[in-house]
Amino acid sequence: MLAALFAAALAISGSCDLEHPSGRPGCTRAAVDALPMNSLQVIGTHNSYKMAIAPKEMEQLRKANAKAATELDYSHIKLTDQLNTGARQLELDYVYDPQGGRYSTPLFRKVVPDTTPYDLTPMARPGLKVLHVPDIDYRSVCPLFVDCLREIRAWSKAHPDHVPILIIMNLKQDNLKIPGAEPLLPFDAKAMDAIDAEIRSVFPESELITPDKVQGRHKTLREAVLAGAWPRLKAARGKFMFAIDEPPKVVAVYQGGRTSLEGRVCFINSPDEASPAAGYFTLNEPIELAERIRKDVRAGFIVRTRADADTYEARKGDYERQKQAFASGAQYVSTDYMQPDPRLGPYEAHLPGGGLARLNPVRAAN
């Protein structure tokens, strides 16, 4: 079975757009749809929800911590626009707020009154709140997690043939060490259950790629992944895969006492390749971790890496990290610059060869 799939992959042209096959020899819908979903490579966005820090607040931050200000000086357009532009991986980070109102009055907004419009009224509602750094970098294109998901699903229903989209999530629970900052609630077992509940309140089971669906009758998720059990593109089109991008101590709370991730919606950033729950890895350093990424991709795991970080590449016009990210074979490569920031220069990131999804260069050569 695996040998046949590799042979099919080799028959597909390197210039074939896997989302919209042309029908020409080497790029037929039938051949593309027979591939497992881990045979693709796409581009996405890092901190996809993030709006720019308001000018006066940024000025204050720059005075207090110039390095942090530089690293936080980026923003993104609306999620729908990102998806229209070609993003097939999104990142939504959030804080736990089951009662609502906990993050309605950000510290920076009180300390540095700024007239830049921003509607904080959604923060009064109960539920997960999407933001980057509470009290400082709090502006989001969709403050409520469920509202972000509804927007994404609406786009998906209008574009049902899209390749599977990965949504990764950071769980914000580390308190800021500044006077007056709002204490963050921990992501305990109840909070982890709330993550699944909010996702399931928007997405029906038929639109999700879950650990259980991949594991099937295998003893563990890892065993299934190594056996090539990812769904074929035909079955994965129009669907979403969620992954919690956190270190072992945090994902252990989400996993609980499960052998793998039975009953859970999300995959986790696996502690290591030997974990029974191993299926997905966040490996954000494509130069330093190049061989590790290639090894994991060859084995069958799904990997996300980054083409740029902390505005460095955009300011320097440095494309080396981006080049290595795509060459690594990571299925999902994220960027802050699907469009250039004219303040910084012409730097931008795009999938090599154009198109929305291409044949994974490492899987094709496996």
Side-chain angles (χ1 to χ4, degrees):
M1 175 65 76
L2 290 178
L5 290 171
F6 292 143
L10 289 173
I12 295 174
S13 167
S15 61
C16 182
D17 183 350
L18 304 190
E19 183 154 316
H20 299 297
S22 65
R24 296 191 301 269
C27 193
T28 65
R29 179 65 179 262
V32 166
D33 278 355
L35 294 172
M37 63 175 281
N38 62 332
S39 290
L40 58 68
Q41 185 177 66
V42 299
I43 193 168
T45 52
H46 159 254
N47 290 345
S48 313
Y49 55 88
K50 183 175 154 26
M51 295 176 65
I53 298 174
K56 290 183 180 178
E57 294 173 10
M58 175 57 84
E59 182 181 344
Q60 180 66 24
L61 177 60
R62 199 170 295 282
K63 291 178 181 177
N65 189 328
K67 182 176 183 292
T70 295
E71 293 176 353
L72 295 176
D73 192 13
Y74 65 93
S75 64
H76 288 293
I77 55 180
K78 292 181 179 180
L79 297 179
T80 298
D81 295 333
Q82 293 178 50
L83 292 164
N84 284 336
T85 302
R88 295 296 179 265
Q89 175 260 303
L90 300 172
E91 180 175 354
L92 301 173
D93 304 337
Y94 40 70
V95 290
Y96 185 44
D97 186 19
Q99 303 303 317
R102 191 174 187 88
Y103 306 98
S104 294
T105 55
L107 179 62
F108 255 36
R109 195 172 179 85
K110 293 184 289 185
V111 173
V112 190
D114 195 305
T115 58
T116 304
Y118 184 66
D119 183 11
L120 282 161
T121 57
M123 306 300 274
R125 291 163 52 187
L128 299 168
K129 305 301 190 305
V130 175
L131 45 76
H132 190 218
V133 182
D135 282 311
I136 295 176
D137 193 6
Y138 57 86
R139 293 169 184 255
S140 172
V141 299
C142 48
L144 297 180
F145 183 51
V146 291
D147 285 349
C148 299
L149 298 182
R150 290 184 183 116
E151 180 180 351
I152 293 165
R153 183 170 186 255
W155 178 89
S156 175
K157 299 304 286 183
H159 304 82
D161 282 342
H162 67 77
V163 296
I165 292 174
L166 170 66
I167 298 178
I168 65 170
M169 304 168 294
N170 290 152
L171 283 47
K172 304 291 186 177
Q173 55 185 334
D174 294 331
N175 290 313
L176 285 177
K177 296 179 174 60
I178 57 175
E182 182 66 39
L184 306 189
L185 296 178
F187 276 86
D188 55 15
K190 185 176 181 180
M192 295 300 190
D193 289 343
I195 296 171
D196 282 8
E198 292 205 9
I199 295 172
R200 291 191 186 279
S201 75
V202 176
F203 287 97
E205 188 70 20
S206 61
E207 295 171 15
L208 295 171
I209 297 167
T210 63
D212 281 343
K213 289 181 180 179
V214 176
Q215 183 173 334
R217 296 183 178 181
H218 292 272
K219 293 180 180 179
T220 66
L221 177 59
R222 175 184 181 273
E223 179 183 294
V225 166
L226 296 182
W230 291 106
R232 305 293 171 246
L233 279 178
K234 182 177 182 179
R237 288 183 183 276
K239 294 183 172 60
F240 292 82
M241 171 182 169
F242 287 81
I244 293 177
D245 176 18
E246 289 289 339
K249 183 178 180 180
V250 177
V251 296
V253 180
Y254 183 77
Q255 186 177 5
R258 298 165 178 83
T259 300
S260 294
L261 291 163
E262 295 83 0
R264 283 302 199 190
V265 174
C266 306
F267 293 78
I268 59 172
N269 182 20
S270 310
D272 54 58
E273 290 92 339
S275 168
Y280 164 82
F281 293 101
T282 296
L283 300 171
N284 283 334
E285 304 300 332
I287 297 176
E288 294 88 337
L289 298 177
E291 189 48 46
R292 161 82 189 274
I293 295 173
R294 291 188 186 95
K295 178 173 67 72
D296 286 347
V297 169
R298 288 191 193 104
F301 298 108
I302 283 180
V303 177
R304 178 263 198 170
T305 196
R306 291 182 63 181
D308 41 70
D310 301 330
T311 76
Y312 173 85
E313 284 76 16
R315 294 178 188 277
K316 299 292 185 180
D318 187 344
Y319 284 81
E320 184 59 26
R321 178 175 178 145
Q322 180 182 150
K323 177 182 176 182
Q324 294 296 329
F326 287 115
S328 74
Q331 288 89 350
Y332 295 91
V333 178
S334 73
T335 180
D336 288 320
Y337 301 97
M338 289 190 70
Q339 302 84 28
D341 183 337
R343 302 171 307 146
L344 306 183
Y347 176 86
E348 57 187 323
H350 297 289
L351 193 66
L356 299 173
R358 72 169 183 166
L359 185 64
N360 189 295
V362 169
R363 294 288 299 170
N366 207 349

